[in-house]
């Protein structure tokens, strides 16, 4: 897994065809990990929305094309769990960059990340996490969080 797999780290290699035409940047932090992580990183990009139909097609195609021996339901469960973990991590990182480092540019992405997190929490495997989050930061409070105007 690349851990930072998103469209800004992909480049078109015009002298190649097919899959080989996709070049990768910023892959020095690659590690062994769950096969669903990079798909989650690409489809739940913190900086831009991915159209729902494209997401659906990629979720349908990727596990079969990249890992045909994987159990599909286990793959989707893993993807949901990793998406929640990743989006919580990103919320923390972007908040830290704002509070500690004065980098407020990341705040524009916070509503998108919360929206993605809410979608991911719908997976049945995340029931206990959803309950914990609902107890400690209720949905109405999460939907009201928008720190872009904060000082």
């Amino acid at each position: 897994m690349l851990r930072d797999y998103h469209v800004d780290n992909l480049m078109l290699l015009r002298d190649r065809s097919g899959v080989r035409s996709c070049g990768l940047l910023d892959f020095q932090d690659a590690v062994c990990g769950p096969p669903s992580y990079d798909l989650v990183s690409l489809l739940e990009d913190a900086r831009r929305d991915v159209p729902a139909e494209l997401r659906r097609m990629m979720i349908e195609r990727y596990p079969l094309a990249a890992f045909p021996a994987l159990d599909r339901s286990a793959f989707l469960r893993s993807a949901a769990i990793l998406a929640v973990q990743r989006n919580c991590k990103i919320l923390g990182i972007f908040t830290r960059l704002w509070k500690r480092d004065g980098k407020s540019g990341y705040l524009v992405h916070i509503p998108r990340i919360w929206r993605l997190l809410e979608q991911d929490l719908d997976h049945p495997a995340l029931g206990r996490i959803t309950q914990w989050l609902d107890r400690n930061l209720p949905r109405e409070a999460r939907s009201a969080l928008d720190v872009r105007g904060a000082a």
Side-chain angles (χ1 to χ4, degrees):
M1 62 184 221
L2 297 177
R3 296 191 321 175
D4 199 16
Y5 191 60
H6 55 85
V7 74
D8 294 333
N9 284 336
L10 300 176
M11 59 185 271
L12 177 62
L13 302 173
R14 295 185 190 282
D15 60 331
R16 297 182 180 182
S17 62
V19 174
R20 294 182 62 237
S21 68
C22 182
L24 298 174
L25 302 172
D26 195 16
F27 53 86
Q28 70 274 6
D29 290 332
V31 297
C32 290
S36 58
Y37 194 90
D38 285 339
L39 181 65
V40 168
S41 296
L42 187 61
L43 297 181
E44 297 210 1
D45 192 325
R47 295 167 192 90
R48 68 186 41 83
D49 291 320
V50 175
E53 181 60 15
L54 178 59
R55 284 177 51 99
R56 188 197 61 73
M57 289 178 358
M58 291 300 295
I59 289 169
E60 197 60 38
R61 180 176 182 207
Y62 180 82
L64 297 173
F67 306 100
L70 282 181
D71 174 81
R72 180 171 171 69
S73 63
F75 180 89
L76 295 175
R77 180 180 185 273
S78 170
I81 293 167
L82 290 169
V84 166
Q85 181 274 336
R86 185 175 178 277
N87 286 321
C88 286
K89 177 185 76 169
I90 292 169
L91 285 168
I93 290 170
F94 284 6
T95 301
R96 182 194 72 222
L97 287 169
W98 164 55
K99 294 295 277 181
R100 186 190 72 190
D101 302 338
K103 296 180 178 181
S104 60
Y106 292 95
L107 298 181
V108 69
H109 306 299
I110 297 287
R112 173 182 300 104
I113 300 165
W114 275 113
R115 188 176 69 249
L116 291 168
L117 179 62
E118 295 296 340
Q119 290 170 4
D120 298 324
L121 287 169
D122 285 340
H123 193 281
L126 293 156
R128 291 180 60 196
I129 299 295
T130 303
Q131 290 171 356
W132 182 91
L133 198 52
D134 286 347
R135 265 193 322 275
N136 292 282
L137 187 56
R139 286 182 191 253
E140 56 275 2
R142 296 193 303 259
S143 64
L145 287 175
D146 188 350
V147 293
R148 289 178 290 186

